[in-house]
Structures are given as structure tokens and as C-alpha cells.
Amino acid sequence: MDVAPGGPSTLRLEGDDGAFAVPSVFGNEEEIAEHIKRGAEIFCIGGNAAMLDVLRLCQSLIPEEQLRFIACAPDGEIPAALVPRLPRKLTRPNLSSGHDTAKTFLAEVQREIDLAQKAGDEMREIRAGFRAHFLANPLTNYIDDADQARRVPAQLRFWLRGGTRDTIMDMHRLVEEGGARIIKGAVKAIEHGPDGAKVRIVDADGGETVHNTGFVINCAGGGPTSHYDPLTENMLTQGLIGICPVSKGLTVGPQCKTGAPGVRYLSPATTVIGDEVMAMPLYDAHMLRTYAARAG
């Protein structure tokens, strides 16, 4: 039997479940829709695909000229639109072996991404090229220490993240038109007042600001205190699968085998399969299909 559930729950934040906030977009669509239709400013914590889902919900309920939409992300950016071009091409990274640490390897990866962009490669070509490269070349080709190598996937996933391209293009357009904004920072907590919320935001230097808004949606993604679906949590409790102490992702045996006879496990949060050091978690559907096929 093959088991393939989803990823971790959204990282909870102080005050993200109250009169003017919800801890996740999924399962709370009706409440979110009520606040969108009443004209509230919508504040999303995170600049990821869940945030883009909220934007689409807004667009489906009110005219764009009424939209008041904010996304708050640590880097102040949203994913690039992955638009295919003809003729198709892939970025071909040139990476050296013998790295002692994840830090020096990631610096080289960043250099290769910068060089590709200067050469005219777009993010779709960069992402597809790196993805193909790492499917053929495991991280241990470049970093000798496996624990150091396992520090790489989280950063690579962030750099090479994607999203629905037409929604991303809408987000960029709305920012230019003034209907949407992007705030750089990390949300510390949410406080609730009689007619809205106060969001406490910490910048890169540790300074704190407060933003008054209408309704807050936690789209932050997974974090250290996240939980998994009941089946995955039960398998973790029984020791049938594990959690990597370095990457914090899920671990399974060779060919995705678990501790239960005849049961294989593969989810987007998987970062270790047997002894292999994977370059990216399996949130990418193409990588998920590839590793499932390799498992036989």
C-alpha cells in the first residue's frame, strides 16, 4: 500500500484565531468571504501559494477597484511567474564539489542563479534546470557531510519556489495599480479590537511596527511547531517513519518503505529517502512523481 498525504499544518501565531483572524485559509473560506464582501482590508501572513488563493477568492467576490489586499513576507517578495518560452531551454548550473558546509554551497548556487538571470534566463528556466540537475546529481556530489547537505533543501525550495503564474501576474499588476501591497517583515502577533486587528511586524533589524487592518489570514506555511495529518502523526508515534533532526522533514527507508511491512510513504514534506540526501522537498509535483517512479 502506498500512502501519500499532505504536508505540515500552518505555523500558528499568537492571536491568529479570533474575531478578525483565522489560522488558515483552508476550511475558513466562508468566514473570510464575509469580511471580503464587507469591504475589509485583507492581510495575509506569507507570500506563498496560499496567499495567492486568498487573492483569487477576493477577485471572485468583489470588483478589483474595491480590493484592499496586503501580503506580509520576510523578504518582501512573491514568487516569480513561471511563464514558458519557446524554444524551451533549461539553465545548466556549474557547481563544484568538495564543499565543507551548506553555507558555501548555497553561496555558489546563489551565484549560479544570479549568472543565469544576467544571461537572460527566466525563473521557470532556472527552476526547471536546477530541478533536473539535482534529480540526476545528489547533494553528496558537492557536500561531503550528509548533515550539512541536509541543511540545503529548505533554502533551495525558497529560492526556486513557484506558484500559479496568472495569479502571480495579477498580484504584480495590482501592486502597480495600488489595490495590493507587499510588506517586508515577519508577523510576531495579532491583536483584536472592536472593529479590526492590529498586526505586530518585526523587520530584519529587530524593529517592531504595528499595522491596523481589517481581517488577517495566516498563510505562513509550516514551521517547527507544525503538526501533520492524523495518519502521519500516528506513523511518527509508532516509529514507522521519522523526522530528520537537521532538515526537520520526514524520513522514510529505501524505496520509500516504512516500518510497516508492505507500506510505502511519500508526502511533500519528505526530505530523506533511505541514505539519499535530497536537494529539495517533494512539494514540487514533478519531483514527487519522479521519486514515486524510482520507488518502483
Side-chain angles (χ1 to χ4, degrees):
M1 180 175 66
D2 291 327
V3 179
S9 64
T10 300
L11 174 67
R12 297 300 303 273
L13 298 166
E14 181 182 342
D16 70 357
D17 191 3
F20 297 99
V22 287
S24 171
V25 56
F26 308 112
N28 297 294
E29 292 88 349
E30 289 187 10
E31 183 177 355
I32 296 168
E34 291 176 4
H35 290 274
I36 293 170
K37 288 187 284 188
R38 74 173 175 85
E41 179 183 85
I42 301 300
F43 188 105
C44 288
I45 302 170
N48 54 21
M51 177 274 293
L52 296 172
D53 289 339
V54 178
L55 175 61
R56 272 290 182 255
L57 181 59
C58 290
Q59 290 176 305
S60 72
L61 293 171
I62 59 175
E64 281 190 351
E65 57 268 22
Q66 297 177 17
L67 185 66
R68 294 191 295 149
F69 187 88
I70 291 177
C72 180
D75 63 346
E77 298 179 0
I78 57 173
L82 305 178
V83 182
R85 297 191 297 178
L86 292 175
R88 293 186 180 275
K89 63 173 292 189
L90 295 178
T91 298
R92 299 189 181 279
N94 181 23
L95 302 169
S96 60
S97 60
H99 288 275
D100 293 325
T101 66
K103 182 178 180 179
T104 62
F105 176 70
L106 286 168
E108 188 171 62
V109 171
Q110 181 66 75
R111 183 203 68 199
E112 289 295 299
I113 292 174
D114 292 342
L115 287 173
Q117 290 175 326
K118 289 178 182 177
D121 291 7
E122 295 185 352
M123 184 48 71
R124 185 183 187 280
E125 296 153 350
I126 294 170
R127 182 172 180 263
F130 272 89
R131 181 180 63 184
H133 181 84
F134 286 126
L135 282 172
N137 301 276
L139 283 180
T140 45
N141 286 7
Y142 308 105
I143 307 173
D144 295 330
D145 184 273
D147 282 348
Q148 282 294 319
R150 288 184 175 128
R151 298 181 186 277
V152 169
Q155 185 63 58
L156 277 184
R157 182 192 174 214
F158 178 72
W159 282 344
L160 303 175
R161 67 197 189 278
T164 308
R165 61 176 177 263
D166 56 341
T167 317
I168 290 173
M169 289 188 282
D170 275 357
M171 182 66 180
H172 284 292
R173 174 177 57 80
L174 290 165
V175 168
E176 292 177 0
E177 295 173 355
R181 291 173 54 200
I182 302 173
I183 295 177
K184 184 176 183 178
V187 172
K188 178 181 179 181
I190 302 126
E191 299 173 0
H192 299 266
D195 55 4
K198 291 184 177 181
V199 184
R200 298 196 174 276
I201 304 168
V202 179
D203 61 29
D205 298 322
E208 185 176 309
T209 57
V210 175
H211 181 85
N212 295 310
T213 193
F215 194 76
V216 181
I217 303 155
N218 187 352
C219 304
T225 59
S226 293
H227 297 283
Y228 292 91
D229 58 277
L231 174 62
T232 300
E233 289 289 345
N234 184 269
M235 294 180 77
L236 286 167
T237 299
Q238 294 188 58
L240 303 178
I241 58 175
I243 293 181
C244 175
V246 179
S247 69
K248 308 303 180 185
L250 298 176
T251 69
V252 294
Q255 297 179 303
C256 307
K257 294 178 181 178
T258 70
V263 178
R264 298 185 302 185
Y265 181 99
L266 195 61
S267 85
T270 304
T271 57
V272 179
I273 298 175
D275 294 329
E276 183 172 358
V277 180
M278 301 159 60
M280 294 174 65
L282 300 182
Y283 290 92
D284 181 287
H286 174 73
M287 294 190 70
L288 184 60
R289 287 193 298 269
T290 300
Y291 278 99
R294 288 179 180 179

